[in-house]
Amino acid sequence: MKLFHKICLSFVVIFGITFQGVGYLLINFAYGNAIEQEKKVAFQNFQYNRYILQSILYSEPEFFLREETEVENISNSFSVPVAVYGVDGKNFFSNLAVQPAELDFVEVDDNRISFRIYEKDGRNYIFVCDYIRQGEKTMYLITQIDISSVIDTQKNMIDYFQRIYIAILCISFPMIFLLTNLITAPIKKVRKATRRIAGGGYTERISIKGKDEMSELAYDFNQMAEQIEEKIAELSDAARQKEDFAANFAHELKTPMTSVIGYADMLYQRNLPREEVKSAAGYILKEGMRLESLSLKLMDLFVLDKQEFILEKMPVREMFENLEQGIEPVCRKHGAALHMEIGEGSIRVDYDLFKTMILNLADNALKADCKDVWIVGRQDRNIYQIRIKDNGKGIPPEELERITEAFYMVDKSRSRKQHGAGIGMALVSKIVEVHGAKMEIESDGKTGTQIYLNFVAGGEENDR
Amino acid sequence: MIGKYKYTIVFLIFAAFFIFGSMKVMNFILRLRETQLLTESGRVKMELPVRTWESWENDKEGVVSEDTSSERNVLKTEQIEDAIKCWNERNSSILHEPVAGQISMEEAIKAGEKWLVEMGIGEEKDAAAYTINTELGIGVQTEEAGEQLEAYYSFWTVKYSSRSISAVLYLNAVTGKVWGAEITLYEEQPEKTPDDRLRLFVELAGLQVSDDDSAVIHSGETRIEIAIKESQLYAQERSYSMSIGLENSYKYTITYQLLIRQE
């Protein structure tokens, strides 16, 4: 059953229970009250007729010893039908609707009176009985009052109440439907939006009005939709990157392999002079080394994702003094000047990874045809910042976001000429991540590039 | 089509089932309650609207009855006034059995007979000469039973009927004095003058006529009123005769009342 029907049914049930419950209490109270009132009337009537009987007995103690027909004349003296009988059970007079014996009163001479509510031939009566003493005479008096009209009134009231119940339900049914519709309308809205999102409409949102629970649900739903949209975008991005990776990887394999196969085929098919054989073998060797380098870098990239590294606290200046010996000759070979200015401080690093990272960044700077490479390190509060700056060709700002993707190359033809495969910056990015550091790249695409590496200065942690 | 409205149909079936089911259940419960109410029986102690009269001591500040036999049943002026006020303003009366301190039915009937004789209205007869009807009640303004009142608020109403007289006397249940009467005579008029009759009524009521000159408040053809000594009370007699159609047949009606003067 749908929520709409459940709410509707709940309304009907609550309404029904409340109405019937309140109705029962009211009718029960009225009924009980009416019977109590009738009992009071019956007792007063009894008292009145007791005095009448006592007056008769006072005036004529032997009245009930008269002829039966004479005794029957006293019926007019009483205000209600009565029965008078002796303590021996002898019936002196009765004009009750039932035989006194049928009422089965057990009355004794005390200060209490007996009563019985009794139904006879569809009519209801209250009978009251007590022990009457007048002079030496003792006898029982039973009075009868008819309460059938009261009972009929109560029964009519119940019928009337049930008619009102049905009538009010008929009136309130459309109202219950409307009310339930109002309550469930926002839920329907959420359901529709959910279906649209399920169908791919990730931009779907619900308009929020008011501050009730449904508005809160709508707000949470919108938050969830936003998260889903972001996640989907991320997943799409990751999928695209994987696709690009596979395509680039295939392409990077194919390029050297084409040269290798071409030259190998030439050596196999033709008898070439010694010089040409040497040249072809040189090409094969060069491309093979390039493939080896590519595979090693890729292996590093995968290893970085899987392996845990132990970071050690090391002085930055000391590390760069060692690194300078490796970087400086390469710079000189490319005709570039290295300017190194490293301040005091220490950071937690895996030295080999750190070295790979700095060499890759320096190599990238040199590949950008720079004339100068600046490596500056300084500590500011708890951050140790290493800045690597060059005055090469730079990177177009719109491509800055993608340069850490594997196989992404800003200038593919130039990169290949320089035996690049677009893995370096991806590797650097992973190493930065392993060190818990942050990398920022700035470039206008014309006057060089600045790369900032921010490490936590000092640090006590020794895991990745 | 049915599939689309399947839940609506189920809902309507449930709702109808509940609506009519709840009606049936309520009717059933009410029927049980009705059976319980309409087969009720038992024994109950009648709640008395008055308390037992315990203030029997003589109160010298009070209006003392001249009847030595009932000297113990003395009421203060304020109590008499309260009792008269309550009785005169009654809308109905609650009947009850006499409580301790109140006179019995026999005493009330005898006191009434004696009063009739002393007033010169009736003759000394035994009870069989009259058809007598008595009741003891307390005057109430509403049907709602309140707290118990003092015993002196109760009055015996004694009706004497014979061929020549019909009298309704109102006797205070504590003092046994007649504080009101409605008498209809069918054969002969009383011999005493209205003024004498009213003074005698006051005296027999256990009260005293005011001593000063302004004792007679009103004196007319059908109504005479006299003040009661040291009290807001005054006694009133209304009398008139009326032909009842037959030749030389008439009835003479006299009403005695004790009333309270409005300030």
Side-chain angles (χ1 to χ4, degrees):
Chain A
M1 197 180 273
K2 288 185 175 179
L3 183 66
F4 175 86
H5 300 108
K6 283 179 184 171
I7 294 174
C8 252
L9 196 60
S10 301
F11 271 123
V12 172
V13 168
I14 291 167
F15 179 83
I17 289 174
T18 309
F19 204 89
Q20 294 286 2
V22 171
Y24 169 76
L25 291 174
L26 285 175
I27 291 171
N28 185 41
F29 175 76
Y31 215 151
N33 211 31
I35 297 291
E36 279 305 313
Q37 288 299 320
E38 289 303 311
K39 272 159 67 179
K40 279 184 186 169
V41 171
F43 294 149
Q44 276 293 297
N45 262 299
F46 178 83
Q47 191 64 39
Y48 180 72
N49 289 287
R50 177 212 291 268
Y51 280 127
I52 291 172
L53 179 62
Q54 283 181 319
S55 300
I56 291 167
L57 291 171
Y58 176 82
S59 302
E60 198 175 340
E62 304 301 327
F63 179 83
F64 288 100
L65 298 178
R66 285 187 187 181
E67 289 290 320
E68 199 174 312
T69 47
E70 282 184 72
V71 171
E72 279 176 5
N73 288 334
I74 65 159
S75 61
N76 291 333
S77 303
F78 294 101
S79 64
V80 291
V82 298
V84 183
Y85 61 99
V87 286
D88 55 356
K90 187 187 173 188
N91 189 19
F92 294 128
F93 169 76
S94 173
N95 59 352
L96 299 181
V98 295
Q99 289 298 315
E102 208 177 314
L103 296 169
D104 197 26
F105 278 120
V106 183
E107 183 54 42
V108 289
D109 187 11
D110 61 7
N111 58 355
R112 292 189 298 170
I113 61 172
S114 301
F115 74 94
R116 167 152 294 182
I117 303 174
Y118 198 80
E119 189 188 350
K120 178 80 175 177
D121 301 330
R123 299 197 70 80
N124 297 90
Y125 304 98
I126 297 179
F127 295 98
V128 184
C129 175
D130 197 14
Y131 194 80
I132 307 291
R133 187 192 298 276
Q134 181 54 50
E136 292 175 355
K137 294 286 173 191
T138 50
M139 52 187 66
Y140 292 109
L141 171 69
I142 301 175
T143 57
Q144 165 196 304
I145 69 158
D146 191 341
I147 57 166
S148 302
S149 60
V150 176
I151 306 301
D152 289 342
T153 307
Q154 297 304 316
K155 283 177 179 168
N156 288 340
M157 192 165 77
I158 295 169
D159 290 343
Y160 182 64
F161 174 79
Q162 297 295 23
R163 281 201 295 273
I164 287 177
Y165 174 57
I166 296 290
I168 290 180
L169 260 178
C170 289
I171 295 165
S172 55
F173 239 84
M175 286 167 69
I176 288 172
F177 262 81
L178 273 173
L179 204 61
T180 312
N181 239 332
L182 272 174
I183 292 169
T184 54
I187 297 170
K188 285 178 186 164
K189 227 187 223 182
V190 173
R191 193 186 67 186
K192 278 181 187 170
T194 312
R195 283 184 177 173
R196 278 195 212 111
I197 287 175
Y202 300 113
T203 52
E204 183 70 29
R205 297 290 183 275
I206 302 165
S207 62
I208 300 167
K209 283 176 192 169
K211 286 184 177 177
D212 60 0
E213 287 86 344
M214 291 313 300
S215 309
E216 284 172 11
L217 175 67
Y219 177 79
D220 291 344
F221 178 88
N222 286 347
Q223 292 272 326
M224 184 192 73
E226 213 158 285
Q227 287 290 318
I228 289 173
E229 195 182 358
E230 276 175 22
K231 274 281 176 229
I232 292 289
E234 272 177 30
L235 287 172
S236 301
D237 211 30
R240 185 185 51 76
Q241 279 182 17
K242 277 185 182 171
E243 275 176 22
D244 286 356
F245 181 87
N248 289 333
F249 181 65
H251 184 73
E252 291 305 320
L253 274 178
K254 192 186 162 198
T255 309
M257 286 305 283
T258 307
S259 301
V260 169
I261 291 165
Y263 280 107
D265 186 50
M266 194 169 74
L267 288 172
Y268 179 70
Q269 297 283 346
R270 292 156 60 180
N271 288 323
L272 295 171
R274 172 75 187 155
E275 281 303 310
E276 283 185 33
V277 169
K278 203 176 171 183
S279 169
Y283 269 111
I284 291 169
L285 178 68
K286 197 171 74 182
E287 291 304 316
M289 285 171 74
R290 195 176 144 204
L291 273 174
E292 188 190 26
S293 161
L294 177 65
S295 65
L296 286 171
K297 281 190 176 180
L298 277 174
M299 201 176 278
D300 286 347
L301 203 58
F302 284 118
V303 164
L304 282 173
D305 265 341
K306 308 286 176 193
Q307 196 177 321
E308 285 198 359
F309 296 91
I310 294 171
L311 306 180
E312 288 173 2
K313 190 175 176 181
M314 295 187 81
V316 184
R317 182 176 280 177
E318 201 177 297
M319 284 195 292
F320 273 97
E321 276 170 10
N322 290 331
L323 282 169
E324 192 178 8
Q325 291 168 13
I327 300 168
E328 210 277 327
V330 183
C331 286
R332 207 181 316 126
K333 189 180 168 187
H334 281 80
L338 175 66
H339 312 277
M340 199 174 279
E341 193 183 320
I342 304 297
E344 285 295 331
S346 57
I347 53 175
R348 302 189 71 84
V349 292
D350 178 297
Y351 179 69
D352 290 338
L353 290 181
F354 185 78
K355 186 179 171 184
T356 306
M357 177 178 74
I358 297 298
L359 289 177
N360 264 291
L361 290 173
D363 186 44
N364 280 350
L366 294 171
K367 281 176 182 171
D369 298 336
C370 67
K371 295 293 174 198
D372 297 284
V373 177
W374 290 270
I375 300 177
V376 180
R378 67 159 174 258
Q379 186 172 341
D380 183 14
R381 293 179 189 172
N382 59 339
I383 298 291
Y384 195 97
Q385 188 181 68
I386 298 164
R387 179 163 62 100
I388 298 156
K389 184 186 171 188
D390 67 67
N391 53 3
K393 289 181 178 172
I395 305 162
E398 66 273 13
E399 301 204 43
L400 283 174
E401 276 185 17
R402 297 195 63 189
I403 60 164
T404 53
E405 291 175 19
F407 298 112
Y408 188 82
M409 289 172 273
V410 175
D411 186 343
K412 285 184 177 151
S413 60
R414 184 165 59 86
S415 289
R416 288 209 180 90
K417 272 182 200 167
Q418 294 168 341
H419 306 295
I423 301 291
M425 280 308 286
L427 204 58
V428 167
S429 173
K430 284 280 175 197
I431 294 170
V432 166
E433 200 180 302
V434 166
H435 285 85
K438 293 265 167 64
M439 179 169 70
E440 285 174 35
I441 306 167
E442 284 179 4
S443 179
D444 58 0
K446 293 171 189 168
T447 57
T449 306
Q450 281 193 90
I451 296 174
Y452 300 92
L453 301 168
N454 294 319
F455 289 83
V456 177
E460 296 301 322
E461 293 169 23
N462 61 353
D463 56 359
R464 66 176 291 193
Chain B
M1 181 73 175
I2 290 174
K4 191 179 175 186
Y5 294 106
K6 182 174 69 181
Y7 292 123
T8 307
I9 293 165
V10 171
F11 155 70
L12 288 172
I13 291 168
F14 268 115
F17 179 77
F18 176 79
I19 290 162
F20 293 106
S22 63
M23 278 172 65
K24 285 281 170 201
V25 168
M26 185 187 161
N27 280 343
F28 176 72
I29 296 170
L30 279 173
R31 195 78 61 206
L32 286 180
R33 179 75 179 129
E34 186 186 273
T35 308
Q36 188 191 358
L37 285 171
L38 298 183
T39 54
E40 193 185 354
S41 65
R43 304 191 74 231
V44 290
K45 190 176 178 183
M46 289 279 281
E47 280 184 26
L48 291 167
V50 291
R51 287 192 284 271
T52 303
W53 178 240
E54 290 167 347
S55 306
W56 292 356
E57 309 85 45
N58 275 321
D59 189 335
K60 288 172 185 169
E61 290 174 16
V63 181
V64 182
S65 167
E66 288 182 0
D67 187 347
T68 51
S69 66
S70 54
E71 250 181 23
R72 65 174 190 170
N73 298 336
V74 172
L75 297 179
K76 290 178 185 174
T77 309
E78 295 79 27
Q79 290 172 328
I80 296 170
E81 285 173 358
D82 285 346
I84 296 286
K85 188 170 186 288
C86 178
W87 185 249
N88 287 351
E89 290 176 359
R90 72 188 185 279
N91 289 325
S92 63
S93 60
I94 298 173
L95 303 182
H96 63 90
E97 289 280 279
V99 297
Q102 289 184 331
I103 60 170
S104 67
M105 189 182 84
E106 290 85 348
E107 287 173 318
I109 293 169
K110 281 175 184 160
E113 284 172 350
K114 189 180 169 194
W115 184 86
L116 286 170
V117 172
E118 285 176 341
M119 285 295 286
I121 294 166
E123 292 174 12
E124 257 187 276
K125 299 172 183 176
D126 58 50
Y130 296 114
T131 300
I132 296 170
N133 201 342
T134 53
E135 60 187 54
L136 174 63
I138 186 164
V140 287
Q141 272 72 51
T142 59
E143 288 296 319
E144 287 296 313
E147 60 178 44
Q148 283 188 318
L149 296 174
E150 292 293 347
Y152 58 79
Y153 284 96
S154 295
F155 280 79
W156 278 103
T157 303
V158 187
K159 294 172 191 167
Y160 301 89
S161 306
S162 70
R163 201 171 57 84
S164 60
I165 186 171
S166 171
V168 181
L169 307 185
Y170 302 105
L171 294 90
N172 184 268
V174 167
T175 61
K177 303 294 182 188
V178 177
W179 284 359
E182 291 154 19
I183 299 150
T184 306
L185 301 170
Y186 298 103
E187 289 181 348
E188 45 189 44
Q189 292 188 17
E191 291 170 1
K192 291 187 178 78
T193 62
D195 185 65
D196 290 342
R197 287 197 309 253
L198 187 58
R199 285 177 186 274
L200 184 58
F201 166 74
V202 173
E203 189 185 322
L204 293 176
L207 303 166
Q208 289 175 14
V209 177
S210 189
D211 295 332
D212 55 28
D213 297 336
S214 58
V216 177
I217 300 166
H218 180 87
S219 183
E221 237 178 79
T222 59
R223 179 163 66 95
I224 182 165
E225 291 170 352
I226 53 172
I228 307 295
K229 189 180 179 183
E230 293 171 358
S231 163
Q232 289 297 310
L233 289 167
Y234 66 96
Q236 182 191 70
E237 185 203 274
R238 286 174 178 272
S239 59
Y240 62 91
S241 62
M242 183 191 281
S243 168
I244 53 173
L246 299 168
E247 198 179 342
N248 296 327
S249 295
Y250 65 93
K251 67 174 185 177
Y252 190 74
T253 304
I254 313 167
T255 308
Y256 293 102
Q257 261 190 304
L258 284 174
L259 299 162
I260 295 173
R261 272 184 284 193
Q262 302 297 323
E263 290 295 329

